[in-house]
Every structure is written in C-alpha cells, then in structure tokens.
Amino acid sequence: MSDAGGTPQSAALDAAFAPGGPLARSVAGYRVRPQQVALARRIEEAIRARRTLVAEAGTGTGKTFAYLVPAVASGGKVLVSTGTKTLQDQLFRRDLPTIRQALGLPLAIALLKGRANYVCHHHLARNLEDGRLPSREAAHDLQVIAGFARRSQTGDKAELPEIPEDSEAWALATSSRDNCLGQSCAHFRECFVMRARRDALAAEVVVVNHHLFFADVVLRDEGMAELLPTCDTVILDEAHQLPDTATLFFGQSVTTGQALDLGRDVLAEALAEAPDVPELRELVRALERAARDLRLAIDLKDGRLPAAALARNEAFCGGTARLAAATGRLAAALAALAERGEGTANCAERARALGARLEAWRSDAGEERVRWVEARTHSLALHATPLSVAPIFRRQIEERPRAWIFTSATLAVDGDFSHFQRMLALEDADTASWGSPFDYANQALLYLPRALPEPNSAAHTDAVVDAALPVIRASGGRAFLLFTTLRAMRRAHVRLGEALRESGLAFPLLVQGQGTRSALLERFRRLRNAVLVGAASFWEGVDVRGEALSVVVIDKLPFAPPDDPVFAARLAALKRAGRNAFLELQLPAAALLLKQGAGRLIRDEQDRGVLVICDPRLVTRGYGAQLIASLPPMRRTRELDDVRSFFAAAAPARDVAAAG
C-alpha cells in the first residue's frame, strides 16, 4: 500500500525527509532512515483516506517525526495522545516547534493536561486563608506555588520543578473533577484550566495524554467534549498502554479516599457558608469514621481481591452499608443547604454522586463487569471493571469518519497484531510493522543462564542474583535488574547488596523507591557504573542511552499474576467460550511486556549490551520459541564465557574513547 510519491502530498512528504531537505537542515545529526520514511508514507495514506492504522515501529525508527510530519501537513485538526506526561511535554516543547520551523508552517499548537496539573486559584486561596495545613513543608510549598500562580501564563505545575510532584501542597493548590466549581467560580475568567481549553480549541495540533483522553471520552468533562468531535486525525502514541488505560476509565470506582476528601471539603466550604448548622461537623465525623472502618475491615496491606471473596466477610459487608448510610445522611443535609453557596452546592452533588456509585457497586451483579476490591496502606477502593473494553472503544472509532493512528514499539507478537486488535475492537484496521534500524546482531547479546530453578520456586530470586553477579562484574556495573514483583525486587536488593560486598565490588546499588523514578534515573546516568534494581516502573518508558546502561536482567516471564481479579475473570470468560485463554490472552500479554523490558537495553546506534532472561521456560516450554521470536534479533547464548568475551571486545573501544 505504500505510495511511491504519486501524489503532491506524498511528494512533499518525501522531500521533507530527504537528504538535504528541511528536516536535515534543521535537526542536528539528522539522517535518512528508510523505516521512518515508509512509516510516514503509510500514516499519510491513512490520514488522507481517513482509515485506521495500527503501526509497530521498533526502537530507533523515529516514529515521532514519522507521524507528526504527515499529520501537521494534512491541513486538518490533529489530536496527539501519549502514554506519559514526559513525552507529552517533549512533543509540545521540542518536537512540534522543530517541525513547525523546519517546514515553515504557521501552525498553532496547544498542550492540554488534566485539571490536577494546573494551579486552581480558588483552592489555593481557600487553603492559604484556612491556615490548617498538614506540615511546615506544605505551608512553605503553598507560598511558593502562590508566587508561581501570580507570574505564570499557564499554571502548569511542570513549570515549577522546585516543588516536588509528591508535595502535599499540590493537592491543596489544584482542583479535581469533583471539587471544581466550574462557571460558578469567582476565578473562572482567569482559570488556568479554562485558558488551556480555549487554546486547545483554537489550535491545529493538540497534545494530550491517554489518561486525559479516556477521562474525557467517559466523563465529557476534561476539555475534549468540544475538541474531539472537531478532529480529523487522532494519533495514539505508546498505544500498547491503551487497553489497560481504557479498562481503568471505562469502569467505575469508589474509594475511602474520596469520602475523606469530601469530608475535608465540607468542613472548608459548607461550614463557611452555613456556620449556623453545626451538625454538619458530626455528619462529617460519621462519614470519616465509616470510611476508616471500611479500610480496617480487610486485613490486607496491599493487594486485590474479587468481590466474591468478601461475600461472607461481615465486617466488609457491614462497612460498605455503614459508609453508604453515612454518605446518604450527609448528602441529604447538604442538599437542604445547597442554596447557601456554590461550595455547599458542589459538596451536595459530590455526596449524592458518591452515594450513587457506592450503591451501584453494592448491587452490581452483572456478568459484563468484574467487581473487585483494591487495598492500599491507607485506603480501600471498590472497582467495577468491564470484562471487555472493546465494544465501548469501538463506539469511539465509529463516532465519525476520521483517521486513527495507533503506534508503539510493542504491538505485535512475532508479527501478529491480533491480540492488540481484539482488545480494542480494531480487527478491521490496517496493520504494518517496521523493525528497528539498530544492528542487534552485533550490538546485543541474549544470555539465557543454565541450571536455574523454576520461576515459582523459593530459590529463584536468589538464583537470579547469583546468575547476574558475574555478568555485572564483566560489564563493570551499568545494569538494570527488573523483577515482576515487588517482593522479588526487595529480596534481590538485599541479596545483591550482600553479594557485592562479599565480592569486593563497589558498584553503587540503587533500588526503586529510594526516590522518584526521574531522580533515580538521573543518578544512575551520572554514576555511570551503578546497578539499579526495579519492578514495574522501570519496565517501560525509561530511556538510558550510552554506556551507563549495558546490562538488563529480567527475572522471569511477565505473565499477569493469576490473582489479578480482572485478568482472572477475562481468562475464565474465554474458557467458558471454549477458547484457549493461554494462547489468546496470557501469552501475548506476556510477550508484549517482555518486549518492553528488553527494549530498555539498546537505545541508539552506539549502544552495546547484554539482555539476561532468567526464566528456564524460554528453553523448556514450547511457547518459549514464540517469545524469543518476538524479541529483537539478538545473538543468543547460554554460556557465560560468551558474555565475558562480548564485554571484553568492547573494552578497548571504551578505553580509547576515555583517553580521547
């Protein structure tokens, strides 16, 4: 289907990517990549024909420019959604301005995030005046945020990096969908969220993230209710994340945290507008007590349970009933006072909606939804999740004719897109795949250690560390150790620390949780010989180029845990339908996540490294060959001496570079 340049559009596209063309003149280090040009042509065709395209492009293809160039040249309105706010900022602040300048296009671009990313004038002022702040640090941070709000044009908290993302002050200085006063707010005219929305409506290209995209698809409240219908092209980058994000947003949740937040806002808003109704304080106390008692009803620190497992838990069942009753009493009292002010009216509506969601969860027994409970250290969430998001997502695709582009480095399993297509009802979409331009045969080595225990054995994590240690010694540190569970990660961190000391190896040892992911990665890059032990947060979206990272160790094949309530329910539904749940769901899901983890290793043309997978099932099970075939085409070995030789061959080049 690729176009050889027979239309004016495709001729202009080829010219943009040509040697000596506008991109080559504007981008330092630019070089023509055939995969990038071919991908851009297919995207241009899909945009022109208003088709749906699912495109996998390996690491190094340059897919960002491959979709942005034909999109901005199409003349229609374009919505680009990414998996992370980091990539969202990169597109808006770097990539799109570069392309706009290179192509000489008078292009209006806009960045739109969820409302929690923007300072809220109302909540900032209210909490500064209230004075009941949780800590001195929060009070200090809130004053800094207030100064930022006075001088900022956007109110985007990403522009205030001196206040950490996890600061308590941000919750006091931003709004949520629940507590936003909307047009009734006294600060509506200067609202940063509304300003961002107005900019988005006026722009030709709007950059959002997947959470915002799906929040608006479901809620029609985050700025795209007017925006999406006007778009001619929707591009969803990092599309492998979409099924999980859609599952999150197409379901419904009730949390004890929502109840506690409501109580806090009632005390701040309603009591200020209705000081003559002191019984509100007692109703809030009852709500807070019911929420905390419900959390204590489940003796589980962190974990998930299907609702059916709690059907005979009297403390839990009684706790949900008491929370529903407390919410109902507060909602009734607030409804009678709603005329007192906008804050009270907002709290009344929130209490009503919270009670309705709670009652819906308690009574929901449908087969199309999975009810489950998630326990965290200080909160409990009640979820009702669709068994399949495909029919709901299909409706978005069919809403009106437009181009839909889904792209990622990991969408296919050994060239087969059917798993991703089934998850989102994209069976009719065009599909195409381009491998990475990197020379994996020479740049990378896949090492499968011998004599490892089965991955479900108690000895497995220690054996992974033992197998990784000589590789880390040979590489001079510079390693990621990625684990499928937090428990294995913590055990490996302790064991590896002991092993490094006993071996006299002084490599810095970092572990997930010591700081934010970005701070840990920056430290890892700066140290240049560190070993980082991580879990889910480091399997994807992590880019460490150059010699700082030369080894990625994966402890076991990332099959979804069998106790995950939603995954288990989907497996059961497939089995009831007489289908092979392992081949249709478990295996492809694991293959895509394995590709993500492996993708951390080689990030540019100069990288060299070893991928170590410590799961004997890759060799002993029939499906192992399919999983290996889904990985980049690396040379494979089971011999440690080959690993040592691989690093020894790179050492002279490193020494020359260091001397230079």
Side-chain angles (χ1 to χ4, degrees), residues 205-226:
V205 181
V206 184
V207 184
V208 301
N209 60 59
H210 296 339
H211 279 74
L212 177 60
F213 177 83
F214 281 110
D216 189 75
V217 164
V218 175
L219 303 170
R220 296 296 184 191
D221 182 57
E222 293 288 345
M224 289 190 295
E226 301 167 86

Side-chain angles (χ1 to χ4, degrees), residues 22 34 49 109 122 178 261 361 385 405 584 603 648 660:
I109 60 176
H122 170 76
D178 287 335
D261 288 346
W361 190 90
T385 301
I405 311 298
E584 195 167 320
R603 305 301 297 176

Side-chain angles (χ1 to χ4, degrees), residues 461 465 479-483 485-498 500-501 507-525 527 530-538:
T461 298
V465 173
F480 275 4
L481 274 68
L482 303 180
F483 291 84
T485 67
L486 288 171
R487 178 184 298 176
M489 180 198 79
R490 294 179 186 121
R491 171 59 191 164
H493 176 237
V494 173
R495 172 83 173 198
L496 184 57
E498 295 169 349
L500 290 173
R501 285 191 297 273
F507 304 130
L509 181 59
L510 311 178
V511 64
Q512 178 180 319
Q514 284 179 336
T516 64
R517 186 174 78 161
S518 58
L520 272 176
L521 286 171
E522 180 54 38
R523 189 176 171 203
F524 181 88
R525 293 186 187 100
L527 289 167
V531 178
L532 188 149
V533 182
S537 294
F538 289 87

